[in-house]
Amino acid sequence: MAENITIARPYAEAVFRLARDAKALAAWSERLKALAAAAQNADMVEVFSNPSLSSEQRVQVTLAVVGEEKNAEFANFVRALAENERLAVLPQIYELYEQLKSTEEGVKEAVIHSAFPLDDAQLKQLVAHLESHFKSKLTARVEVDPELIGGIKAAVGDEVLDASVRGKLDAMATALKS
């Protein structure tokens, strides 16, 4: 996996620079998302690894699957990947591109540990509160952790906000030992 990330990084950086210069970060994000999804399809994996297909045939099949036959820059990107036998790393290219895009847009990832599943309304309200607390735009990923007993624990980068029952109990235990 680490090798795929290493292989994918220069492609992700190149397509990110291209998208940023064209002021088309969102459009390229959607294109790469479609490519990454296609690359994980079993039929497409077979197409990518089929030695009887030329790289141009792989390009044409890939472009047809994602519906981007008319975009020359996109076709050239897919062609470069096909010619260098890098179509299999499309999911990693997409992942790295999204990280670069988030950094450019000032968006950080929040990992929210919750004792219970959160519905959409609760998550939206919580993210709004966390954005004001961390003074940054956030994308949230929720992980259910019943050991918290209640409340949440949110991590953004190296900052952690622990508003869980387990965290408060641990803090009280530490205070009592002092």
Side-chain angles (χ1 to χ4, degrees), residues 5-176:
I5 294 288
T6 303
I7 292 168
R9 183 168 283 110
Y11 294 98
E13 290 172 351
V15 78
F16 172 76
R17 284 191 304 273
L18 175 74
R20 184 185 59 206
D21 293 348
K23 296 184 181 4
L25 290 173
W28 274 94
S29 181
E30 289 304 313
R31 291 176 187 134
L32 291 173
K33 183 178 182 180
L35 273 177
Q40 293 174 330
N41 177 288
D43 293 333
M44 288 303 291
V45 170
E46 197 173 307
V47 168
F48 294 164
S49 62
N50 187 337
S52 66
L53 294 176
S54 70
S55 63
E56 189 56 34
Q57 288 171 318
R58 290 185 188 115
V59 169
Q60 295 309 316
V61 170
T62 304
L63 293 174
V65 167
V66 297
E68 289 282 345
E69 300 95 338
K70 293 183 169 92
N71 186 312
E73 286 180 329
F74 187 70
N76 288 338
F77 174 68
V78 173
R79 191 168 286 109
L81 292 172
E83 289 172 356
N84 293 302
E85 297 182 12
R86 301 296 192 227
L87 290 168
V89 298
L90 278 165
Q92 290 82 12
I93 292 171
Y94 171 66
E95 180 182 316
L96 290 168
Y97 175 88
E98 287 299 311
Q99 290 173 6
L100 291 166
K101 180 177 170 269
S102 292
T103 301
E104 177 77 12
E105 295 172 341
V107 178
K108 296 179 180 176
E109 181 182 31
V111 179
I112 301 169
H113 298 271
S114 174
F116 303 99
L118 301 173
D119 64 31
D120 290 341
Q122 291 171 320
L123 181 59
K124 186 175 179 179
Q125 184 179 10
L126 178 59
V127 168
H129 176 73
L130 291 173
E131 285 178 342
S132 66
H133 178 81
F134 288 105
K135 295 175 181 49
S136 181
K137 180 92 173 112
L138 302 174
T139 58
R141 179 170 46 99
V142 178
E143 296 178 4
V144 176
D145 183 0
E147 290 188 17
L148 294 179
I149 303 170
I152 62 111
K153 186 164 117 178
V156 176
D158 59 355
E159 294 181 71
V160 177
L161 173 66
D162 191 349
S164 68
V165 173
R166 170 60 56 206
K168 291 179 184 187
L169 289 172
D170 290 344
M172 285 180 10
T174 301
L176 289 172

